[in-house]
Amino acid sequence: MGQTIAAFIDKYGIGLYIPRVHITDIIEVLILTFLIYQIIIWIKNTKAWMLLRGIIVLAGFILLAAIFKMHTILFIARNSLTVMATAAIVVFQPELRRALEKLGEKQFLTSVVPFEQNREIRFSEETREDIIRACFAMGKVKTGALIVVEQAIRLTEYESTGIQMDCLVSSQVLINIFEHNTPLHDGAIIVRGDRIVSATCYLPLSDNMGISKDLGTRHRAAVGMSEVSDALVITVSEETGAVSVAQGGELTRSINEAELRVKLEEVQHKSSETNRIKAMWKGWRKHAKKNN
């Protein structure tokens, strides 16, 4: 059958180029498709979209200059290309950094290579319930709060902006920290595992223009923190008492206890899966050393 098809192509397909497709070609197309898709999503969600629009307009002018033989404009464009590319990298350095961080957060990487084997990021059910209890207790009396639940990305640089702590998470401690006119109430706390590691931390503010104007600095800081890390950030509004959650640059407003519990359980399950992979890898290494 294959020889018949080949003979037919040789006889009637003169001049027709049919490339041979190998498995590596398919893998290459899939990789390029994934990278192009990620670049498009990144461009859509950052100020790079404005840069792309500017580049398209500039390319249109250069195309007109080429059509009408405007040699001076073409000369300037050729000699400015390198400078403009460097300037774009400098101006959009934060967005480029976020894009690389998001690429590094993809879960298929952690499933293949168990990075940072010694880090324990899972928190207990008691910690989860204490966070929920404290958030809605503060919401009832309209006490503002900002709680960052750390995941895979270690938040050392933001931890150092606050006051170092080392205490177990409990609803009473959380309520006391964010009580009005107390030394630690201003800023965010960072929760790592079952412990509060820092308070009064400064978080990066999001420059997302799509955030509602009726939200204050606390919510903008929560979104900003979720943009530069994989942390789950919980906010309690001082004006309305509503509890909101920011993750992956998206803010979910006015959630109830059940919804917050689901969000925290997702973090627990993700951490548990990561730790399970680490344990399997560690056991495999011990077994390999024993056999050697």
Side-chain angles (χ1 to χ4, degrees):
M1 183 64 180
Q3 292 178 350
T4 304
I5 295 173
F8 178 83
I9 292 173
D10 290 338
K11 185 176 181 180
Y12 299 102
I14 299 173
L16 181 65
Y17 173 68
I18 301 177
R20 293 184 178 179
V21 179
H22 303 283
I23 186 66
T24 54
D25 299 322
I26 297 174
I27 295 173
E28 188 176 12
V29 169
L30 291 175
I31 292 172
L32 289 173
T33 303
F34 172 78
L35 291 176
I36 292 171
Y37 174 77
Q38 292 296 326
I39 291 170
I40 292 172
I41 295 297
W42 172 68
I43 289 174
K44 179 182 176 183
N45 294 330
T46 66
K47 290 187 294 185
W49 171 240
M50 291 183 287
L51 173 64
L52 181 61
R53 289 171 60 183
I55 291 174
I56 292 172
V57 172
L58 188 60
F61 281 117
I62 295 174
L63 180 61
L64 289 175
I67 292 172
F68 294 103
K69 308 296 183 182
M70 299 177 182
H71 300 292
T72 303
I73 294 177
L74 293 175
F75 173 79
I76 295 173
R78 281 195 299 270
N79 289 274
S80 302
L81 188 61
T82 304
V83 177
M84 292 171 63
T86 305
I89 292 173
V90 172
V91 171
F92 290 93
Q93 182 269 337
E95 282 75 17
L96 291 170
R97 177 183 174 182
R98 291 175 192 172
L100 292 173
E101 286 175 345
K102 292 297 180 184
L103 186 62
E105 290 172 21
K106 297 300 178 183
Q107 292 303 308
F108 67 84
L109 290 178
T110 56
S111 65
V112 175
V113 183
F115 294 108
E116 302 179 9
Q117 296 179 25
N118 295 325
R119 183 182 301 176
E120 182 71 29
I121 59 178
R122 185 179 182 182
F123 53 86
S124 65
E125 293 184 3
E126 289 79 8
T127 295
R128 182 192 69 206
E129 295 303 317
D130 277 327
I131 292 174
I132 296 170
R133 195 178 301 116
C135 287
F136 286 93
M138 290 186 287
K140 288 181 180 178
V141 295
K142 295 184 179 180
T143 298
L146 188 55
I147 302 171
V148 181
V149 181
E150 185 184 77
Q151 294 195 60
I153 297 178
R154 203 172 184 89
L155 306 176
T156 307
E157 59 179 305
Y158 304 104
E159 177 186 341
S160 61
T161 64
I163 296 173
Q164 301 297 308
M165 297 182 64
D166 184 20
C167 66
L168 284 171
V169 175
S170 70
S171 58
Q172 294 86 353
V173 170
L174 292 172
I175 292 170
N176 285 336
I177 287 175
F178 290 109
E179 185 64 35
H180 293 290
N181 301 320
T182 56
L184 302 179
H185 84 281
D186 194 20
I189 68 165
I190 295 177
V191 175
R192 178 177 300 139
D194 290 318
R195 309 191 75 82
I196 301 171
V197 295
S198 190
T200 70
C201 300
Y202 294 103
L203 305 184
L205 298 180
S206 173
D207 55 5
N208 184 356
M209 301 304 294
I211 298 176
S212 176
K213 299 299 182 184
D214 62 344
L215 296 177
T217 305
R218 184 177 286 111
H219 291 82
R220 190 169 287 276
V223 176
M225 190 70 209
S226 70
E227 288 174 344
V228 301
S229 72
D230 61 347
L232 179 74
V233 189
I234 307 169
T235 64
V236 181
S237 173
E238 194 170 349
E239 288 74 24
T240 65
V243 178
S244 303
V245 169
Q247 191 173 28
E250 298 291 332
L251 182 68
T252 306
R253 301 175 61 182
S254 302
I255 63 175
N256 56 37
E257 291 189 32
E259 290 170 328
L260 179 57
R261 184 173 289 106
V262 169
K263 294 284 187 182
L264 289 169
E265 284 176 349
E266 288 175 357
V267 174
Q268 278 185 302
H269 293 160
K270 187 185 298 184
S271 302
S272 177
E273 179 66 18
T274 303
N275 291 329
R276 187 178 67 83
I277 293 170
K278 291 176 184 177
M280 290 172 60
W281 175 260
K282 196 176 292 184
W284 178 84
R285 289 185 62 187
K286 286 182 179 179
H287 180 72
K289 287 181 180 178
K290 192 175 182 180
N291 289 340
N292 291 337

